[in-house]
Amino acid sequence: MNLTVKTTISWLEKFDEKIQVNKDLLTDLDQAIGDGDHGINMSRGLTEVMKTLESKSFQTIGDLIKGVAMTLIGKVGGASGPLYGSAFLKMGAKIGAKEQLSDEELLEALKEGEQAIIQRGKASVGEKTMVDVWSPLLEDFSQETHINWEDLKVAAHEKMTGTKDLHAKKGRAAYLGARSVGHIDPGAMSSYLLFESLAETMMEGENNNG
Ligand code: ADP
Ligand code: MG
């Protein structure tokens, strides 16, 4: 199924729902290895994203994603706001004026988002950040022309839980050093929710189309 303006909105609505439902979990994860604000940051940001989507109509996916980026940069705060914001900004720029995206084009856009996170945060794979979901996940699916969304969802879940065993080298959790081991990274969890929302939206679209 191609991503359209309408399904992009469904994706973001689902992400908002999951962030609100998991707000306390994200906060608890950040309490363990950071400063306990990740749930609050993301919840506030997504509430604002929903307001942006309600207040304006977007003709292209690129414009929509850029609008989301500006809201995230302005409203999320913390380390994660600029990181997610840059990711969406680069994705929006890559997508441009398109009204539909194939799986391949969507993967290319997500890859741009991943590169933006790495450029801004300078984290590598294995340093216990959201990069540990984005990078290996997009690498796993880089050769796919048609994504099996159930597989992607399962893979994203694996990458997220995999951050539990890692020793943090970037972000606030790095101050804990080895004591960060044994806890899932909060940004990896919110990134999982982003990919899970996308996968579920795409699967629902495929079912509706036959
Ligand atoms: P803050 O750390 O400023 O309190 P948040 O709690 O909202 O911000 O977000 C924390 C999450 O941000 C971490 O769990 C991690 O996934 C992500 N993060 C922090 N620093 C980096 C970085 N340099 N590169 C990639 N991700 C990072
Ligand atoms: Mg925090």
Side-chain angles (χ1 to χ4, degrees):
M1 188 189 85
N2 281 358
L3 191 75
T4 61
V5 171
K6 194 166 165 241
T7 45
T8 306
I9 292 173
S10 304
W11 168 25
L12 292 162
E13 284 171 347
K14 206 180 267 296
F15 184 42
D16 169 54
E17 278 169 31
K18 289 183 191 287
I19 288 292
Q20 306 309 344
V21 167
N22 290 286
K23 180 180 175 183
D24 292 344
L25 169 65
L26 293 169
T27 289
D28 290 348
L29 293 174
D30 198 30
Q31 207 107 53
I33 62 169
D35 58 355
D37 63 354
H38 191 57
I40 297 159
N41 290 341
M42 295 302 292
S43 161
R44 182 180 54 236
L46 269 300
T47 299
E48 294 295 331
V49 166
M50 289 304 109
K51 285 187 199 160
T52 303
L53 296 185
E54 277 159 26
S55 67
K56 281 177 80 175
S57 71
F58 296 91
Q59 298 306 313
T60 70
I61 304 175
D63 281 348
L64 171 61
I65 298 273
K66 276 188 233 165
V68 171
M70 298 320 290
T71 307
L72 292 174
I73 291 169
K75 306 287 181 182
V76 175
S80 56
L83 291 166
Y84 277 117
S86 318
F88 275 86
L89 204 54
K90 280 285 186 77
M91 283 193 263
K94 178 81 185 174
I95 295 165
K98 293 199 181 78
E99 289 174 30
Q100 290 207 25
L101 289 190
S102 65
D103 284 1
E104 265 176 313
E105 291 169 323
L106 175 55
L107 277 173
E108 277 172 25
L110 289 166
K111 189 84 191 157
E112 284 286 309
E114 175 230 354
Q115 290 302 313
I117 293 171
I118 292 171
Q119 262 168 28
R120 184 165 267 272
K122 311 268 183 274
S124 310
V125 171
E127 295 189 321
K128 199 179 182 95
T129 69
M130 59 175 73
V131 170
D132 290 304
V133 171
W134 285 75
S135 291
L137 182 67
L138 296 176
E139 182 61 35
D140 280 3
F141 287 83
S142 62
Q143 305 301 322
E144 308 285 324
T145 45
H146 291 287
I147 299 171
N148 179 318
W149 290 102
E150 182 58 37
D151 287 354
L152 184 135
K153 179 173 152 171
V154 170
H157 191 268
E158 274 168 19
K159 314 299 178 200
M160 175 272 286
T161 54
T163 64
K164 192 167 175 176
D165 302 326
L166 298 172
H167 177 154
K169 302 276 168 54
K170 285 285 184 323
R172 279 180 208 280
Y175 297 120
L176 283 185
R179 280 184 294 139
S180 65
V181 176
H183 304 279
I184 290 168
D185 176 66
M189 176 61 80
S190 58
S191 294
Y192 163 64
L193 298 175
L194 179 71
F195 286 107
E196 184 190 40
S197 306
L198 177 61
E200 289 176 0
T201 303
M202 297 307 263
M203 286 189 278
E204 281 168 19
E206 282 165 3
N207 291 339
N208 291 342
N209 289 339

